[in-house]
Amino acid sequence: WRLGYCARLLKTNHFRTAASNTSFPAVWMLLAQHSGRIPGLFVAVKKNTFFTMPETVEDKTNPELYLLHPGVRGMTLLNREAFKRTVVVPALKIKKETVHSVLKSLKQSVLQRPGLRRVVEDPEDEDSRFVILDPHKVPSFSLGESEQQLLEQLGVSPEVLRYRLQLTYENFKSEEILRAVLPEGLEVTSGFSRVGHIAHLNLREHQLPYRRLIGQVIMDKNPGITCVVNKTSIIDSTYRNFEMEVLAGENNLVTKVKENSIAYELDFSKVYWNPRLSTEHGRVVELLRAGDVLFDVFAGVGPFAIPAAKRSCRVFANDLNPESYAWLLHNCKLNKVDTKVKAFNMDGRDFLRGPVREELSKELPLLKEEQKTAFHIVMNLPALAVEFLDVFRHLLVGEPCSPAGLPTVHCYGFSKHSDPARDIQERAEATLGTSLAGRCSTFLVRNVAPNKEMLCLSFQIPADVLYKRPCP
């Protein structure tokens, strides 16, 4: 009688609205005082010691089942054995030939948890199996009348048993492990950027004492990850790479990635690569047609240049970083477009004033009205690209070409302004010395950080900016 009353009392308080002042641990204390025991469903067994739930429950689904032992709090070196625990969960004992039918009939009540088996063998009866039920769906160790009737139709006893389920480190998600280890109230970061076999983290200061453990957990829980690194400095504005520390796994930062069906190889410690820009690379390349000309001012290892060359465009690609230049050449050969890409290792300004000016001076006067060749200039250096736009002021000398032939610039920038599109346009106008009103478009690429956006400003260079007319 006491157990039934306690279960009903617990269920009433557990599903009470947020307005209730009754905390879950307080309910447990009340139950313990009046019943003399705590139902086995919510007990973590370790050396016959009971651990009640913490007051703040993070996991809204099955919070009782997946709470870890408080003894792991503050762990800095991963000890997988410390995550072992035993919980008591509801289960049905059935004949093995009825397993499929029972799972189909009780699919809403059966345990659904990655890494945990729903059906386990009975060590005392090889012809029987235990079907593990979800303790959140069967909190009182009793099925509803409709479910009991379904089981009776299958010739299965509806009696719900208490099964001691063994949980190990492998059964917990990375977020659950890190939430249990890090000090309470501190932010848990389990997200990362994946670059081939490398997981790249940006840990906060409060997470640094646990960085080795975090790295090992990330590697354990993500198949294919064999190296975890943490950025230790901001991106260098000259070469766009950053210092990093290997937290777990092999110290091998040469990796292979695939983006939009194209393979790239690179040394992640020496060049810039951001997997979050895949969609943006594809968007810009889709604007190009066969026969167009692309000038990639800050080309990196080729995520704009190589797919453009594969679309039969003529490509001029440049990067100041010698490592990026070397990997650009390597990736052009890897993708068999080395004959379509002219690569340069120059400062961006020198590239614009040299090869770009030379090619435009040669090509634009030859354009005819019916000719469909388009010229695109990509400037993907968000921290500084807007400052390079002054190079276009009177870059060419002579009579302007037809308006359709004027090069289109795709300039990337960061903005912390409340109106980032207006901000980047005004900054570009100030550098160019002319208005772009009605002559440009702005595309929001991604949110880089709170109140910091990355944008792409696209516009045709106005003729009065690009050309310096000769004196009569």
Side-chain angles (χ1 to χ4, degrees), residues 189-383:
T189 298
S190 59
F192 59 88
S193 296
R194 182 164 185 166
V195 183
H197 68 276
I198 302 168
H200 169 222
L201 305 176
N202 287 322
L203 296 181
R204 303 291 179 86
E205 186 175 351
H206 69 268
Q207 298 165 336
L208 293 179
Y210 308 91
R211 63 188 185 279
R212 303 288 180 189
L213 180 144
I214 293 172
Q216 190 63 54
V217 171
I218 294 296
M219 193 167 70
D220 289 347
K221 299 297 180 179
N222 295 275
I225 295 294
T226 59
C227 176
V228 181
V229 300
N230 179 48
K231 184 173 74 173
T232 58
S233 68
I234 61 174
I235 294 178
D236 184 286
S237 60
T238 304
Y239 287 162
R240 291 200 298 172
N241 55 7
F242 44 78
E243 296 178 6
M244 59 183 70
E245 178 187 14
V246 176
L247 303 181
E250 59 185 357
N251 189 5
N252 174 22
L253 299 177
V254 175
T255 187
K256 188 171 185 176
V257 297
K258 201 165 189 179
E259 179 182 276
N260 300 326
S261 302
I262 296 177
Y264 302 88
E265 293 179 354
L266 54 102
D267 185 336
F268 189 56
S269 66
K270 296 179 179 178
V271 305
Y272 178 81
W273 181 269
N274 190 336
R276 294 186 176 93
L277 295 178
S278 171
T279 302
E280 178 62 11
H281 295 152
R283 183 187 74 87
V284 173
V285 170
E286 282 294 321
L287 303 175
L288 308 177
R289 298 170 299 187
D292 286 351
V293 180
L294 173 68
F295 301 101
D296 194 349
V297 186
F298 313 105
V301 300
F304 285 112
I306 291 173
K310 281 189 166 290
R311 292 174 74 91
S312 299
C313 296
R314 288 190 294 127
V315 179
F316 297 77
N318 171 73
D319 203 281
L320 177 62
N321 183 354
E323 289 288 339
S324 295
Y325 172 71
W327 285 106
L328 172 62
L329 294 175
H330 173 81
N331 287 314
C332 286
K333 290 182 180 179
L334 179 67
N335 289 281
K336 301 178 181 179
V337 294
D338 46 307
T339 59
K340 298 179 181 179
V341 178
K342 290 185 180 180
F344 302 85
N345 180 207
M346 307 171 67
D347 176 78
R349 290 181 179 275
D350 295 335
F351 175 65
L352 289 167
R353 288 171 175 156
V356 175
R357 177 180 2 212
E358 181 181 343
E359 191 66 20
L360 291 177
S361 298
K362 181 175 63 176
E363 293 284 339
L364 291 182
L366 302 177
L367 281 182
K368 299 177 181 178
E369 289 292 338
E370 67 274 8
Q371 205 162 335
K372 296 183 179 180
T373 301
F375 296 85
H376 293 263
I377 302 174
V378 172
M379 305 176 69
N380 184 19
L381 184 62

